[in-house]
Amino acid sequence: MQVSKKIPFDDPQVLLGVRILYLVSNLLIAGIYLYIQSKINAKKDLTTLKYVEPPPMGSAEEPKLVTTTVHSYDLQQLRGLWKSQLMGIGMMGVMHVYFKYTNPLVIQSIIPLKGAFEGNLAKIYLFGQAAIGDLKRPWKASGGLMNLGGQNDPKADKKSIEQAEKAGSGGVKEE
C-alpha cells in the first residue's frame, strides 16, 4: 500500500499503465480459471463425496449432510471463485470510476492473482499436487474475520456423517 502512494497517478501515462496492469491481471485470472475448469471437466472424477455442511453462523438450523461428486464439488468451488473475482471487479469499478480512487488498482492487480495461484483448485489442477492432507476434499474455509477457529468448516469424518444421517437432515444429492 505504501508503494502505491508513491506512484504519480496524476500522469495520464502512468494511470493508463496501471489500468492496463489491472486488466491484464484479471484476464490472467480468467485464463487460469478457464484452464482449471477444462481440467476439471476433462478429469470428470465421479467419486462420491459425503460431508456435513455446518449451518450458517447464528442459525438454529441443523447441520446438513451433502452427498456429491468430486467433479461437482470442484465446479461448485470454482463457481465461488468466479463470483468473488467478479465481485472484486465490480467493487473496484465503483471505487475507480465513481469515487476516482486509483491506489487500489495496483493492489488489486497483485493480491487476486496471488490468490488464484495459491488456491486449492490451482494446487491440484494447475500444479498437479495430490488431493491429500490439506488438499483433501471438502476443504476448510479460508481463514478470515468470521472463521473463528474453524467451527464453520465442513466435516467429513464418519461420526459426523452418521449423526447427520440419523438426524434425517441429509441425503441431499447435488448434481
Side-chain angles (χ1 to χ4, degrees), residues 68-115:
T68 185
T69 63
V70 170
H71 179 257
S72 295
Y73 182 80
D74 287 352
L75 286 176
Q76 176 188 13
Q77 295 298 313
L78 186 62
R79 219 170 292 122
L81 291 173
W82 274 111
K83 276 184 186 176
S84 68
Q85 186 62 27
L86 291 174
M87 183 68 76
I89 290 170
M91 293 293 288
M92 193 64 239
V94 168
M95 287 173 58
H96 182 64
V97 174
Y98 186 71
F99 295 117
K100 306 289 186 222
Y101 290 136
T102 51
N103 288 2
L105 279 174
V106 176
I107 289 123
Q108 291 302 311
S109 297
I110 300 166
I111 293 174
L113 190 59
K114 178 182 174 275

Side-chain angles (χ1 to χ4, degrees), residues 6 8-9 16 19 21 30 33 40 71 79 84 103 126 171:
K6 296 184 190 302
F9 288 111
L16 179 64
R19 286 176 178 159
L21 175 69
Y33 289 167
I40 291 171
H71 179 257
R79 219 170 292 122
S84 68
N103 288 2
L126 204 58

Side-chain angles (χ1 to χ4, degrees), residues 29-95:
I29 291 169
I32 290 168
Y33 289 167
L34 288 171
Y35 178 76
I36 289 173
Q37 184 176 1
S38 72
K39 294 294 254 182
I40 291 171
N41 288 331
K43 191 172 182 184
K44 201 158 184 130
D45 188 353
L46 297 177
T47 306
T48 301
L49 178 66
K50 277 186 172 184
Y51 62 94
V52 178
E53 194 173 85
M57 203 163 183
S59 170
E61 296 176 22
E62 290 290 318
K64 139 176 121 168
L65 176 68
V66 177
T67 304
T68 185
T69 63
V70 170
H71 179 257
S72 295
Y73 182 80
D74 287 352
L75 286 176
Q76 176 188 13
Q77 295 298 313
L78 186 62
R79 219 170 292 122
L81 291 173
W82 274 111
K83 276 184 186 176
S84 68
Q85 186 62 27
L86 291 174
M87 183 68 76
I89 290 170
M91 293 293 288
M92 193 64 239
V94 168
M95 287 173 58

